[in-house]
Structure formats: C-alpha cells, structure tokens
Amino acid sequence: MTDITLLPQVTAFLDRQQGHYIHGQSVAGAGVERFAVVNPATGLAIAQVNEGSQAEVDAAMQAAFDAFHGSWAQVSPLERGNCLTRLADLLQTHREELAQLESLCSGKTIQLSRGLEIDMASQFLRYFAGWSSKISGETLNVSLPSFQGEQYSAFTRCEPLGVVVGIIPWNFSIMIAIWKLAAALTCGCTVVLKPSEYTPLTMLRVAELATQAGIPAGALNVINGSGARLGPMLIAHPRCAKVTFTGSVPTGIAVGKAAMEQGIVRTTLELGGKNAAAFLADVSVDKMVDGIIEAGYLNQGQICAAAERFYLPASHIDEVLAKLTQRLTAMKVGSPLDESTEVGPLANEAHYRKVLALFDKARADGSQIVCGGQALAGPGFFVAPTAIRANGPHDALMREETFGPVGTFLAYEDEEQMLAMINDSPYGLAASLWTNDLSKAMRMIPRIEVGTLWINMHTFLDPALPFGGVKSSGMGREFGSAFIEHYTELKSVMMRY
Ligand code: TXE
C-alpha cells in the first residue's frame, strides 16, 4: 500500500501562515516568534505557527467574556444544542480534511483519525447538544419552621461559570478539545482553547467550522503557543472563571496550583497514570492476547486511559507473552497516511526520547525486554511495539507512565495479591478486569481504586459515562450528567412572603 493523496484544501491550509482564532476570525497575532509543526512520521516541518503573546490572550479572553454576557447569552438553550449538532455535521462533511491534518501533525494512523478522532468527536458533540435544554435547578422545601405565619419558597439555578480556558494535549487534538468546548458551550459558558504546541492546527480549522455552524464570534477562541508561557497567562487572566486541563500529572499539578492562587479559579484535571489490566485464570490465552492489544497498543499507547501494567496468572504468563510477541512483531508499522498501517510514530520527538529513556531504565532495572524495546530505523519517531516482563511491582516500568506502545507484564499467584498490586499506585484513572466469572467480577469492582473500571473491555469511552481519575489521576468528571456541576455554579434562591 502507499500513502493516500493529500486533499488540496489540506496543503492549502498548511501553506497558510497560521496563528490563532479570536472573535470569529483567524488572526496572525502581534508576536514575531514562530514555531514549526513537525510531522512525526518524517521529522520534517510541515507548517509554521505564530507564537501567542499577552496581546492575543487579552483579546481572546475579552472576546469570550463579551460573548458570555452578550451574543452567547442571547442564544436559547435549545439553539445552543443546535449549534453543536451543526458543528458535528460539519465535522462529518470535512472528515477527510480534518483526519489528514490530524495524522500529519500527530502521527495517528489515518484510519484512527477518521474513525476515532473525527467520528467520536461528532458523537460527543451530539451527546452534549442534547444536554443544552436539560440543565436546570430544582424547587426545594425550606426546612425551618415558620414562627409568625410567614412562608418561604426556595429554588436553585444552574448558572454558567463564564469564560472557560481549555488546555489540550497532543494525543487527541480534536476529540479532547471537543469534550471541553462542547461541555462549556452547552452549559452557556464560552471558551478559550490552548492546543498543544505539537498539534496546533486542527482546532484552528474546527474553530472556523464552529463559526460556520452558527456559534457566535467570541464564544470559541483558540490561542497557540508554548504552554509553559501561555498557560499561566490564561489562568491568571481576570476573565478566567475555570480551567479544564488534560495532560501530564506534573503539568496538571502546576495548573491546579496556579488556579488556586488566582482566587480559587474552578478546575477540572484529567491526568494520566499507570492503568492496570488484570486477567483471571479462567480467560483463554487467545482472549488475553486480544485484550492486551485492545487495552495497551491503540494509537501507539498514547491514550490516557490505556493500560500499561498487565497482571497475568503465573500459570499462563509464558504462553501469553509468546503469543503476544508473535502478534506485536507482525503489526504493520509505517506511514500514518498508509491505510494499511497499524502502528504509526510517537507524536513528537520529546516524547519519543522519553520512551527510549524508559527502555534504558527497564534494562537497568533488569526487567526482561520480551520484544521491541528499541527505536526503528529511518526518519521519524518510530518505536517497536514492546512487551516487557517485570521482576516485581517496583520495577520502573510498572510505576512510571510510558504513554507508548509498551506493555509491562507481571505474574501473580493469587487474586488477593493481584488486587493489592493494582491499588498500590499513586494513580487511578482507569483499569480493566477480564474474567468469565461475573459474580467474582462484581465482588472485585468495589475494591479497585479507579475512576473507570471496564470488565472484559478497555479504552472504550462513552459520552454517557462520567470519566475522570481518583488519587493523582485528576479531579472532577467529564461526560454523563456529572460534567454539569463542573461548568455551572449552583445558586440557591430563598424568598419570604
Ligand atoms: O504534556 P503536558 P507534554 C504525558 C506523556 C508525555 C508527557 C509530556 O507521557 O510524554 O505527558 O507531554 C500545556 N501551564 N502525556 O509535555 O505538559 C501544553 O502546552 C498550563 C499524558 O506535551 O501535560 C499542552 O497544551 N499549561 C497526557 C498541555 O499543557 C501548560 C497527554 C499538555 O502538556 C503548562 C499528553 C503550564 N505550565 C501527554 N505547561 C494524558 N494523560 O492524556 C504545558 N502546558
């Protein structure tokens, strides 16, 4: 197979000097600095983006503030949902264009860009659109007695927070941004997004489509540039009512601290971790291998909910690792724009270097590299799909996030020991348990310390189910109805008559 042909609108978009999207318009910005967007499959620059400055931060935050009190506030709840639905339609109309841009910037395979990034983003938009007309308070009975015949009435209102700053990572540059903008807009908030500096292009195109969908100027803005510089500026801005962040644990802690110091700015943090997948001995070896690939290797493992530590029964581990090695070494690694590719490059050079350093750490620990464990020859940031057998629960790769196509495996003798090892982690975003014995699974579910637990499946995010971490994996929940409390303030109203 060969690479697909790039659409002319994709090459035209890449040729444009890109910057930001503020108040319904693409703007170059006042700054003179530029940064390059690098295609991780080739290591070559494919576009140039102007670095944001305080001037663009101020303009975007003011535009969002004005829209919050003006144009977006005047849009009825039902129409807010219609805007999101029209945006979902436009994502579908421009599916191939957006998918190609995403694959060029992030190295995601084109099949995944189309089917997961764009199609799932559309589904999430439609889900959130449905909430716009259903966000309401309740009528309450006042509990205290009436002393002199006076009466009371009370109710609550869910009021939108204001301007929401969304800070987005590079692994799903469209879908994660859509989670945040859809949640904010459906509640009546307005948004300023800061994409990752590695993947700054796709949201500029989505923002243009949002304007086309009828979302008024200023309700959705995009600022590009260094997170370490622009992040603190956005969070410290007096118009910032909330920050919603997805990314690494250390940056999440910095974001949370900055938000608290800026007068308790509301915060949702969706951070990574070291997710576990545990297989009970009643599962067949073939099902274990399928489950491991589903849980750990999609998008080169660059999914915050992906499993990285695998617990296998001691009786099965040798056979599972032998079969897994056959499957991993047979995977087609190659150009993300080739429709038959199963494994693309890691998304950027810094991340690639981090994963290679973790392989060195595994070797230094004496962990056994069962397969992979190295970079692949040629240009681009490719590493081989990797399986590592740990000596014990304290090996570095059983504890540190790799965020790569890397599973680390440990044998267990009894299920109590396995449950203790799953919970012996500072993180708790997600886990999966694989067994045919659902009665046993039901007894284990309350004992596993995570925000999302899958049984006989992994990495499947549904908009109807709340998503977020426990322990150091984050704070707050996205999706379901749980997101509403994170994008609105509850106001209590009490009346005497
Ligand atoms: O992430 P960061 P990076 C992991 C992965 C990767 C590592 C570092 O292991 O190797 O994190 O990646 C913005 N204030 N994950 O450096 O720093 C930044 O511009 C405010 C896991 O790319 O978390 C980007 O928009 N914002 C993860 C966003 O934060 C700041 C997904 C995320 O960047 C900031 C991605 C600051 N001080 C990487 N500094 C997951 N769990 O989903 C940076 N940013």
PDB file of all heavy atoms in Angstrom, residues 167-171 176 194-198 225-228 231-232 235 245-248 251 254-255 270-272 304 351 354 401-403, ligand 1:
ATOM      1  N   ILE A 167      -7.176  23.544  28.231  1.00  0.00           N
ATOM      2  CA  ILE A 167      -5.774  23.254  27.852  1.00  0.00           C
ATOM      3  C   ILE A 167      -5.707  21.804  27.382  1.00  0.00           C
ATOM      4  O   ILE A 167      -6.087  20.881  28.111  1.00  0.00           O
ATOM      5  CB  ILE A 167      -4.818  23.545  29.026  1.00  0.00           C
ATOM      6  CG1 ILE A 167      -4.955  25.032  29.414  1.00  0.00           C
ATOM      7  CG2 ILE A 167      -3.378  23.207  28.644  1.00  0.00           C
ATOM      8  CD1 ILE A 167      -4.089  25.470  30.566  1.00  0.00           C
ATOM      9  N   ILE A 168      -5.233  21.636  26.148  1.00  0.00           N
ATOM     10  CA  ILE A 168      -5.430  20.372  25.416  1.00  0.00           C
ATOM     11  C   ILE A 168      -4.084  19.704  25.151  1.00  0.00           C
ATOM     12  O   ILE A 168      -3.126  20.381  24.762  1.00  0.00           O
ATOM     13  CB  ILE A 168      -6.103  20.671  24.040  1.00  0.00           C
ATOM     14  CG1 ILE A 168      -7.267  21.672  24.190  1.00  0.00           C
ATOM     15  CG2 ILE A 168      -6.557  19.404  23.338  1.00  0.00           C
ATOM     16  CD1 ILE A 168      -8.389  21.219  25.062  1.00  0.00           C
ATOM     17  N   PRO A 169      -3.999  18.376  25.289  1.00  0.00           N
ATOM     18  CA  PRO A 169      -2.753  17.671  24.957  1.00  0.00           C
ATOM     19  C   PRO A 169      -2.689  17.320  23.465  1.00  0.00           C
ATOM     20  O   PRO A 169      -3.613  17.616  22.709  1.00  0.00           O
ATOM     21  CB  PRO A 169      -2.848  16.408  25.802  1.00  0.00           C
ATOM     22  CG  PRO A 169      -4.309  16.119  25.850  1.00  0.00           C
ATOM     23  CD  PRO A 169      -5.021  17.449  25.796  1.00  0.00           C
ATOM     24  N   TRP A 170      -1.600  16.647  23.079  1.00  0.00           N
ATOM     25  CA  TRP A 170      -1.390  16.354  21.660  1.00  0.00           C
ATOM     26  C   TRP A 170      -1.949  15.003  21.230  1.00  0.00           C
ATOM     27  O   TRP A 170      -1.954  14.694  20.051  1.00  0.00           O
ATOM     28  CB  TRP A 170       0.098  16.411  21.317  1.00  0.00           C
ATOM     29  CG  TRP A 170       1.023  15.801  22.338  1.00  0.00           C
ATOM     30  CD1 TRP A 170       1.806  16.488  23.218  1.00  0.00           C
ATOM     31  CD2 TRP A 170       1.277  14.407  22.602  1.00  0.00           C
ATOM     32  NE1 TRP A 170       2.525  15.620  24.021  1.00  0.00           N
ATOM     33  CE2 TRP A 170       2.212  14.330  23.654  1.00  0.00           C
ATOM     34  CE3 TRP A 170       0.794  13.215  22.050  1.00  0.00           C
ATOM     35  CZ2 TRP A 170       2.680  13.128  24.170  1.00  0.00           C
ATOM     36  CZ3 TRP A 170       1.254  12.010  22.563  1.00  0.00           C
ATOM     37  CH2 TRP A 170       2.187  11.978  23.603  1.00  0.00           C
ATOM     38  N   ASN A 171      -2.403  14.164  22.158  1.00  0.00           N
ATOM     39  CA  ASN A 171      -2.742  12.798  21.725  1.00  0.00           C
ATOM     40  C   ASN A 171      -4.086  12.712  20.992  1.00  0.00           C
ATOM     41  O   ASN A 171      -4.239  11.913  20.091  1.00  0.00           O
ATOM     42  CB  ASN A 171      -2.665  11.797  22.885  1.00  0.00           C
ATOM     43  CG  ASN A 171      -3.512  12.171  24.063  1.00  0.00           C
ATOM     44  OD1 ASN A 171      -3.799  13.345  24.296  1.00  0.00           O
ATOM     45  ND2 ASN A 171      -3.935  11.190  24.826  1.00  0.00           N
ATOM     46  N   ILE A 176     -10.398  15.643  22.356  1.00  0.00           N
ATOM     47  CA  ILE A 176     -10.330  16.148  23.737  1.00  0.00           C
ATOM     48  C   ILE A 176     -10.755  17.616  23.773  1.00  0.00           C
ATOM     49  O   ILE A 176     -11.435  18.058  24.699  1.00  0.00           O
ATOM     50  CB  ILE A 176      -8.927  15.915  24.339  1.00  0.00           C
ATOM     51  CG1 ILE A 176      -8.686  14.405  24.490  1.00  0.00           C
ATOM     52  CG2 ILE A 176      -8.790  16.611  25.695  1.00  0.00           C
ATOM     53  CD1 ILE A 176      -7.323  14.002  25.034  1.00  0.00           C
ATOM     54  N   LYS A 194      -6.355  26.308  24.401  1.00  0.00           N
ATOM     55  CA  LYS A 194      -4.915  26.348  24.159  1.00  0.00           C
ATOM     56  C   LYS A 194      -4.505  24.932  23.756  1.00  0.00           C
ATOM     57  O   LYS A 194      -4.306  24.071  24.603  1.00  0.00           O
ATOM     58  CB  LYS A 194      -4.202  26.774  25.446  1.00  0.00           C
ATOM     59  CG  LYS A 194      -2.945  27.583  25.261  1.00  0.00           C
ATOM     60  CD  LYS A 194      -1.854  26.889  24.480  1.00  0.00           C
ATOM     61  CE  LYS A 194      -1.150  25.824  25.264  1.00  0.00           C
ATOM     62  NZ  LYS A 194      -0.257  24.993  24.412  1.00  0.00           N
ATOM     63  N   PRO A 195      -4.409  24.680  22.418  1.00  0.00           N
ATOM     64  CA  PRO A 195      -3.973  23.342  21.996  1.00  0.00           C
ATOM     65  C   PRO A 195      -2.507  23.111  22.366  1.00  0.00           C
ATOM     66  O   PRO A 195      -1.781  24.054  22.678  1.00  0.00           O
ATOM     67  CB  PRO A 195      -4.111  23.394  20.465  1.00  0.00           C
ATOM     68  CG  PRO A 195      -4.972  24.584  20.168  1.00  0.00           C
ATOM     69  CD  PRO A 195      -4.726  25.560  21.288  1.00  0.00           C
ATOM     70  N   SER A 196      -2.078  21.860  22.285  1.00  0.00           N
ATOM     71  CA  SER A 196      -0.661  21.575  22.496  1.00  0.00           C
ATOM     72  C   SER A 196       0.153  22.233  21.378  1.00  0.00           C
ATOM     73  O   SER A 196      -0.280  22.284  20.231  1.00  0.00           O
ATOM     74  CB  SER A 196      -0.429  20.064  22.477  1.00  0.00           C
ATOM     75  OG  SER A 196       0.953  19.805  22.353  1.00  0.00           O
ATOM     76  N   GLU A 197       1.363  22.681  21.710  1.00  0.00           N
ATOM     77  CA  GLU A 197       2.226  23.287  20.691  1.00  0.00           C
ATOM     78  C   GLU A 197       2.652  22.263  19.634  1.00  0.00           C
ATOM     79  O   GLU A 197       3.119  22.632  18.566  1.00  0.00           O
ATOM     80  CB  GLU A 197       3.437  23.985  21.311  1.00  0.00           C
ATOM     81  CG  GLU A 197       4.160  23.246  22.419  1.00  0.00           C
ATOM     82  CD  GLU A 197       3.528  23.476  23.805  1.00  0.00           C
ATOM     83  OE1 GLU A 197       2.342  23.118  23.982  1.00  0.00           O
ATOM     84  OE2 GLU A 197       4.226  23.974  24.709  1.00  0.00           O
ATOM     85  N   TYR A 198       2.477  20.958  19.929  1.00  0.00           N
ATOM     86  CA  TYR A 198       2.812  19.939  18.924  1.00  0.00           C
ATOM     87  C   TYR A 198       1.688  19.752  17.908  1.00  0.00           C
ATOM     88  O   TYR A 198       1.910  19.261  16.810  1.00  0.00           O
ATOM     89  CB  TYR A 198       3.100  18.598  19.614  1.00  0.00           C
ATOM     90  CG  TYR A 198       4.322  18.648  20.503  1.00  0.00           C
ATOM     91  CD1 TYR A 198       4.202  18.568  21.883  1.00  0.00           C
ATOM     92  CD2 TYR A 198       5.587  18.785  19.957  1.00  0.00           C
ATOM     93  CE1 TYR A 198       5.322  18.624  22.709  1.00  0.00           C
ATOM     94  CE2 TYR A 198       6.712  18.847  20.772  1.00  0.00           C
ATOM     95  CZ  TYR A 198       6.568  18.770  22.138  1.00  0.00           C
ATOM     96  OH  TYR A 198       7.669  18.828  22.950  1.00  0.00           O
ATOM     97  N   GLY A 225       0.634  28.395  21.112  1.00  0.00           N
ATOM     98  CA  GLY A 225       1.983  28.732  21.583  1.00  0.00           C
ATOM     99  C   GLY A 225       2.376  27.885  22.779  1.00  0.00           C
ATOM    100  O   GLY A 225       1.673  26.931  23.151  1.00  0.00           O
ATOM    101  N   SER A 226       3.484  28.250  23.366  1.00  0.00           N
ATOM    102  CA  SER A 226       4.064  27.483  24.474  1.00  0.00           C
ATOM    103  C   SER A 226       3.121  27.413  25.679  1.00  0.00           C
ATOM    104  O   SER A 226       2.651  28.446  26.179  1.00  0.00           O
ATOM    105  CB  SER A 226       5.385  28.147  24.875  1.00  0.00           C
ATOM    106  OG  SER A 226       5.600  28.003  26.260  1.00  0.00           O
ATOM    107  N   GLY A 227       2.886  26.194  26.152  1.00  0.00           N
ATOM    108  CA  GLY A 227       2.014  26.028  27.317  1.00  0.00           C
ATOM    109  C   GLY A 227       2.605  26.637  28.567  1.00  0.00           C
ATOM    110  O   GLY A 227       1.907  27.254  29.369  1.00  0.00           O
ATOM    111  N   ALA A 228       3.931  26.480  28.715  1.00  0.00           N
ATOM    112  CA  ALA A 228       4.574  26.988  29.931  1.00  0.00           C
ATOM    113  C   ALA A 228       4.446  28.513  30.015  1.00  0.00           C
ATOM    114  O   ALA A 228       4.411  29.083  31.095  1.00  0.00           O
ATOM    115  CB  ALA A 228       6.043  26.580  29.924  1.00  0.00           C
ATOM    116  N   GLY A 231      -0.049  29.196  29.290  1.00  0.00           N
ATOM    117  CA  GLY A 231      -0.927  28.587  30.301  1.00  0.00           C
ATOM    118  C   GLY A 231      -1.098  29.493  31.515  1.00  0.00           C
ATOM    119  O   GLY A 231      -2.227  29.879  31.866  1.00  0.00           O
ATOM    120  N   PRO A 232       0.013  29.875  32.166  1.00  0.00           N
ATOM    121  CA  PRO A 232      -0.126  30.752  33.342  1.00  0.00           C
ATOM    122  C   PRO A 232      -0.807  32.081  33.003  1.00  0.00           C
ATOM    123  O   PRO A 232      -1.577  32.604  33.816  1.00  0.00           O
ATOM    124  CB  PRO A 232       1.335  30.961  33.784  1.00  0.00           C
ATOM    125  CG  PRO A 232       2.052  29.739  33.292  1.00  0.00           C
ATOM    126  CD  PRO A 232       1.391  29.372  32.001  1.00  0.00           C
ATOM    127  N   ILE A 235      -4.585  31.363  32.807  1.00  0.00           N
ATOM    128  CA  ILE A 235      -5.189  31.042  34.105  1.00  0.00           C
ATOM    129  C   ILE A 235      -5.233  32.291  34.993  1.00  0.00           C
ATOM    130  O   ILE A 235      -6.186  32.504  35.744  1.00  0.00           O
ATOM    131  CB  ILE A 235      -4.410  29.893  34.791  1.00  0.00           C
ATOM    132  CG1 ILE A 235      -4.477  28.634  33.928  1.00  0.00           C
ATOM    133  CG2 ILE A 235      -4.970  29.599  36.183  1.00  0.00           C
ATOM    134  CD1 ILE A 235      -3.494  27.552  34.313  1.00  0.00           C
ATOM    135  N   PHE A 245      -8.260  20.960  32.120  1.00  0.00           N
ATOM    136  CA  PHE A 245      -6.941  20.548  31.620  1.00  0.00           C
ATOM    137  C   PHE A 245      -6.907  19.043  31.414  1.00  0.00           C
ATOM    138  O   PHE A 245      -7.378  18.284  32.263  1.00  0.00           O
ATOM    139  CB  PHE A 245      -5.872  20.961  32.658  1.00  0.00           C
ATOM    140  CG  PHE A 245      -4.504  20.404  32.365  1.00  0.00           C
ATOM    141  CD1 PHE A 245      -3.643  21.063  31.494  1.00  0.00           C
ATOM    142  CD2 PHE A 245      -4.069  19.221  32.956  1.00  0.00           C
ATOM    143  CE1 PHE A 245      -2.376  20.545  31.216  1.00  0.00           C
ATOM    144  CE2 PHE A 245      -2.802  18.702  32.683  1.00  0.00           C
ATOM    145  CZ  PHE A 245      -1.962  19.366  31.813  1.00  0.00           C
ATOM    146  N   THR A 246      -6.321  18.608  30.307  1.00  0.00           N
ATOM    147  CA  THR A 246      -5.963  17.197  30.142  1.00  0.00           C
ATOM    148  C   THR A 246      -4.487  17.153  29.780  1.00  0.00           C
ATOM    149  O   THR A 246      -4.050  17.871  28.871  1.00  0.00           O
ATOM    150  CB  THR A 246      -6.795  16.515  29.046  1.00  0.00           C
ATOM    151  OG1 THR A 246      -8.170  16.561  29.419  1.00  0.00           O
ATOM    152  CG2 THR A 246      -6.400  15.053  28.871  1.00  0.00           C
ATOM    153  N   GLY A 247      -3.728  16.331  30.470  1.00  0.00           N
ATOM    154  CA  GLY A 247      -2.303  16.228  30.174  1.00  0.00           C
ATOM    155  C   GLY A 247      -1.579  15.461  31.253  1.00  0.00           C
ATOM    156  O   GLY A 247      -2.170  14.630  31.949  1.00  0.00           O
ATOM    157  N   SER A 248      -0.292  15.776  31.386  1.00  0.00           N
ATOM    158  CA  SER A 248       0.552  15.010  32.305  1.00  0.00           C
ATOM    159  C   SER A 248       0.295  15.412  33.759  1.00  0.00           C
ATOM    160  O   SER A 248      -0.202  16.512  34.029  1.00  0.00           O
ATOM    161  CB  SER A 248       2.021  15.247  31.964  1.00  0.00           C
ATOM    162  OG  SER A 248       2.336  16.605  32.158  1.00  0.00           O
ATOM    163  N   THR A 251       2.295  18.737  34.957  1.00  0.00           N
ATOM    164  CA  THR A 251       1.700  19.972  34.434  1.00  0.00           C
ATOM    165  C   THR A 251       0.328  20.193  35.068  1.00  0.00           C
ATOM    166  O   THR A 251      -0.043  21.329  35.390  1.00  0.00           O
ATOM    167  CB  THR A 251       1.604  19.929  32.892  1.00  0.00           C
ATOM    168  OG1 THR A 251       2.906  19.663  32.371  1.00  0.00           O
ATOM    169  CG2 THR A 251       1.112  21.252  32.325  1.00  0.00           C
ATOM    170  N   ALA A 254       0.804  21.849  38.317  1.00  0.00           N
ATOM    171  CA  ALA A 254       1.139  23.276  38.133  1.00  0.00           C
ATOM    172  C   ALA A 254      -0.120  24.077  37.785  1.00  0.00           C
ATOM    173  O   ALA A 254      -0.332  25.188  38.299  1.00  0.00           O
ATOM    174  CB  ALA A 254       2.181  23.424  37.026  1.00  0.00           C
ATOM    175  N   VAL A 255      -0.968  23.510  36.934  1.00  0.00           N
ATOM    176  CA  VAL A 255      -2.213  24.194  36.543  1.00  0.00           C
ATOM    177  C   VAL A 255      -3.126  24.352  37.767  1.00  0.00           C
ATOM    178  O   VAL A 255      -3.686  25.428  38.006  1.00  0.00           O
ATOM    179  CB  VAL A 255      -2.922  23.395  35.412  1.00  0.00           C
ATOM    180  CG1 VAL A 255      -4.363  23.831  35.217  1.00  0.00           C
ATOM    181  CG2 VAL A 255      -2.143  23.543  34.103  1.00  0.00           C
ATOM    182  N   GLU A 270      -7.773  16.239  34.189  1.00  0.00           N
ATOM    183  CA  GLU A 270      -7.839  14.841  33.743  1.00  0.00           C
ATOM    184  C   GLU A 270      -6.410  14.454  33.402  1.00  0.00           C
ATOM    185  O   GLU A 270      -5.867  14.905  32.391  1.00  0.00           O
ATOM    186  CB  GLU A 270      -8.794  14.739  32.548  1.00  0.00           C
ATOM    187  CG  GLU A 270      -9.275  13.337  32.292  1.00  0.00           C
ATOM    188  CD  GLU A 270      -8.358  12.607  31.335  1.00  0.00           C
ATOM    189  OE1 GLU A 270      -8.567  12.724  30.123  1.00  0.00           O
ATOM    190  OE2 GLU A 270      -7.431  11.922  31.834  1.00  0.00           O
ATOM    191  N   LEU A 271      -5.785  13.684  34.284  1.00  0.00           N
ATOM    192  CA  LEU A 271      -4.347  13.433  34.160  1.00  0.00           C
ATOM    193  C   LEU A 271      -4.094  11.964  33.831  1.00  0.00           C
ATOM    194  O   LEU A 271      -5.016  11.168  33.757  1.00  0.00           O
ATOM    195  CB  LEU A 271      -3.654  13.819  35.466  1.00  0.00           C
ATOM    196  CG  LEU A 271      -4.049  15.209  35.994  1.00  0.00           C
ATOM    197  CD1 LEU A 271      -3.361  15.499  37.306  1.00  0.00           C
ATOM    198  CD2 LEU A 271      -3.756  16.287  34.979  1.00  0.00           C
ATOM    199  N   GLY A 272      -2.873  11.653  33.644  1.00  0.00           N
ATOM    200  CA  GLY A 272      -2.536  10.291  33.229  1.00  0.00           C
ATOM    201  C   GLY A 272      -2.453   9.343  34.393  1.00  0.00           C
ATOM    202  O   GLY A 272      -3.158   9.479  35.386  1.00  0.00           O
ATOM    203  N   CYS A 304      -4.723   8.313  27.419  1.00  0.00           N
ATOM    204  CA  CYS A 304      -4.551   8.426  28.879  1.00  0.00           C
ATOM    205  C   CYS A 304      -5.175   7.247  29.614  1.00  0.00           C
ATOM    206  O   CYS A 304      -4.727   6.880  30.693  1.00  0.00           O
ATOM    207  CB  CYS A 304      -5.119   9.746  29.383  1.00  0.00           C
ATOM    208  SG  CYS A 304      -6.787  10.061  28.832  1.00  0.00           S
ATOM    209  N   HIS A 351       8.688  13.276  23.265  1.00  0.00           N
ATOM    210  CA  HIS A 351       8.032  12.096  23.814  1.00  0.00           C
ATOM    211  C   HIS A 351       8.781  10.815  23.408  1.00  0.00           C
ATOM    212  O   HIS A 351       8.979   9.899  24.222  1.00  0.00           O
ATOM    213  CB  HIS A 351       6.577  12.070  23.349  1.00  0.00           C
ATOM    214  CG  HIS A 351       5.813  10.930  23.907  1.00  0.00           C
ATOM    215  ND1 HIS A 351       5.760  10.664  25.267  1.00  0.00           N
ATOM    216  CD2 HIS A 351       5.098   9.943  23.317  1.00  0.00           C
ATOM    217  CE1 HIS A 351       5.049   9.580  25.469  1.00  0.00           C
ATOM    218  NE2 HIS A 351       4.647   9.113  24.308  1.00  0.00           N
ATOM    219  N   LYS A 354      11.696  10.392  25.504  1.00  0.00           N
ATOM    220  CA  LYS A 354      11.292   9.954  26.851  1.00  0.00           C
ATOM    221  C   LYS A 354      11.042   8.436  26.875  1.00  0.00           C
ATOM    222  O   LYS A 354      11.480   7.734  27.798  1.00  0.00           O
ATOM    223  CB  LYS A 354      10.018  10.708  27.268  1.00  0.00           C
ATOM    224  CG  LYS A 354       9.566  10.386  28.669  1.00  0.00           C
ATOM    225  CD  LYS A 354       8.221  10.991  28.988  1.00  0.00           C
ATOM    226  CE  LYS A 354       7.302   9.887  29.433  1.00  0.00           C
ATOM    227  NZ  LYS A 354       5.990  10.347  29.868  1.00  0.00           N
ATOM    228  N   GLU A 401       4.627   6.259  33.918  1.00  0.00           N
ATOM    229  CA  GLU A 401       3.844   6.283  32.678  1.00  0.00           C
ATOM    230  C   GLU A 401       4.784   6.314  31.472  1.00  0.00           C
ATOM    231  O   GLU A 401       5.674   7.157  31.404  1.00  0.00           O
ATOM    232  CB  GLU A 401       2.945   7.524  32.654  1.00  0.00           C
ATOM    233  CG  GLU A 401       1.991   7.537  31.472  1.00  0.00           C
ATOM    234  CD  GLU A 401       1.060   8.745  31.460  1.00  0.00           C
ATOM    235  OE1 GLU A 401       1.557   9.892  31.540  1.00  0.00           O
ATOM    236  OE2 GLU A 401      -0.152   8.550  31.370  1.00  0.00           O
ATOM    237  N   THR A 402       4.579   5.381  30.526  1.00  0.00           N
ATOM    238  CA  THR A 402       5.374   5.413  29.289  1.00  0.00           C
ATOM    239  C   THR A 402       4.619   6.141  28.190  1.00  0.00           C
ATOM    240  O   THR A 402       5.205   6.817  27.375  1.00  0.00           O
ATOM    241  CB  THR A 402       5.724   4.001  28.775  1.00  0.00           C
ATOM    242  OG1 THR A 402       4.528   3.250  28.678  1.00  0.00           O
ATOM    243  CG2 THR A 402       6.692   3.293  29.669  1.00  0.00           C
ATOM    244  N   PHE A 403       3.306   5.963  28.118  1.00  0.00           N
ATOM    245  CA  PHE A 403       2.477   6.596  27.101  1.00  0.00           C
ATOM    246  C   PHE A 403       2.962   6.196  25.698  1.00  0.00           C
ATOM    247  O   PHE A 403       2.948   6.978  24.768  1.00  0.00           O
ATOM    248  CB  PHE A 403       2.509   8.124  27.268  1.00  0.00           C
ATOM    249  CG  PHE A 403       1.182   8.783  26.995  1.00  0.00           C
ATOM    250  CD1 PHE A 403       0.075   8.524  27.775  1.00  0.00           C
ATOM    251  CD2 PHE A 403       1.043   9.693  25.955  1.00  0.00           C
ATOM    252  CE1 PHE A 403      -1.155   9.136  27.522  1.00  0.00           C
ATOM    253  CE2 PHE A 403      -0.182  10.313  25.687  1.00  0.00           C
ATOM    254  CZ  PHE A 403      -1.275  10.030  26.487  1.00  0.00           C
TER     255      PHE A 403
HETATM  256  O1  TXE B   1       2.371  17.260  28.303  1.00  0.00           O
HETATM  257  P1  TXE B   1       1.844  18.466  29.180  1.00  0.00           P
HETATM  258  P2  TXE B   1       3.585  17.176  27.270  1.00  0.00           P
HETATM  259  C1  TXE B   1       2.277  12.613  29.082  1.00  0.00           C
HETATM  260  C2  TXE B   1       3.185  11.813  28.180  1.00  0.00           C
HETATM  261  C3  TXE B   1       4.186  12.810  27.706  1.00  0.00           C
HETATM  262  C4  TXE B   1       4.275  13.775  28.860  1.00  0.00           C
HETATM  263  C5  TXE B   1       4.682  15.168  28.490  1.00  0.00           C
HETATM  264  O2  TXE B   1       3.821  10.819  28.934  1.00  0.00           O
HETATM  265  O3  TXE B   1       5.445  12.277  27.407  1.00  0.00           O
HETATM  266  O4  TXE B   1       2.966  13.801  29.389  1.00  0.00           O
HETATM  267  O5  TXE B   1       3.910  15.644  27.378  1.00  0.00           O
HETATM  268  C6  TXE B   1       0.180  22.725  28.226  1.00  0.00           C
HETATM  269  N1  TXE B   1       0.519  25.700  32.398  1.00  0.00           N
HETATM  270  N2  TXE B   1       1.005  12.980  28.473  1.00  0.00           N
HETATM  271  O6  TXE B   1       4.757  17.971  27.742  1.00  0.00           O
HETATM  272  O7  TXE B   1       2.968  19.321  29.668  1.00  0.00           O
HETATM  273  C7  TXE B   1       0.817  22.221  26.958  1.00  0.00           C
HETATM  274  O8  TXE B   1       1.119  23.309  26.099  1.00  0.00           O
HETATM  275  C8  TXE B   1      -0.535  25.440  31.611  1.00  0.00           C
HETATM  276  C9  TXE B   1      -0.164  12.361  29.024  1.00  0.00           C
HETATM  277  O9  TXE B   1       3.081  17.512  25.941  1.00  0.00           O
HETATM  278  O10 TXE B   1       0.938  17.891  30.190  1.00  0.00           O
HETATM  279  C10 TXE B   1      -0.275  21.330  26.411  1.00  0.00           C
HETATM  280  O11 TXE B   1      -1.261  22.139  25.769  1.00  0.00           O
HETATM  281  N3  TXE B   1      -0.471  24.632  30.539  1.00  0.00           N
HETATM  282  C11 TXE B   1      -1.407  13.039  28.627  1.00  0.00           C
HETATM  283  C12 TXE B   1      -0.855  20.701  27.670  1.00  0.00           C
HETATM  284  O12 TXE B   1      -0.483  21.570  28.739  1.00  0.00           O
HETATM  285  C13 TXE B   1       0.719  24.064  30.257  1.00  0.00           C
HETATM  286  C14 TXE B   1      -1.481  13.583  27.257  1.00  0.00           C
HETATM  287  C15 TXE B   1      -0.376  19.286  27.989  1.00  0.00           C
HETATM  288  O13 TXE B   1       1.023  19.325  28.110  1.00  0.00           O
HETATM  289  C16 TXE B   1       1.850  24.299  31.046  1.00  0.00           C
HETATM  290  C17 TXE B   1      -0.242  14.193  26.844  1.00  0.00           C
HETATM  291  C18 TXE B   1       1.717  25.156  32.168  1.00  0.00           C
HETATM  292  N4  TXE B   1       2.725  25.415  32.990  1.00  0.00           N
HETATM  293  C19 TXE B   1       0.943  13.849  27.441  1.00  0.00           C
HETATM  294  N5  TXE B   1       2.883  23.597  30.519  1.00  0.00           N
HETATM  295  C20 TXE B   1      -2.710  12.384  29.058  1.00  0.00           C
HETATM  296  N6  TXE B   1      -2.732  11.830  30.250  1.00  0.00           N
HETATM  297  O14 TXE B   1      -3.705  12.427  28.373  1.00  0.00           O
HETATM  298  C21 TXE B   1       2.411  22.942  29.440  1.00  0.00           C
HETATM  299  N7  TXE B   1       1.105  23.227  29.263  1.00  0.00           N
END
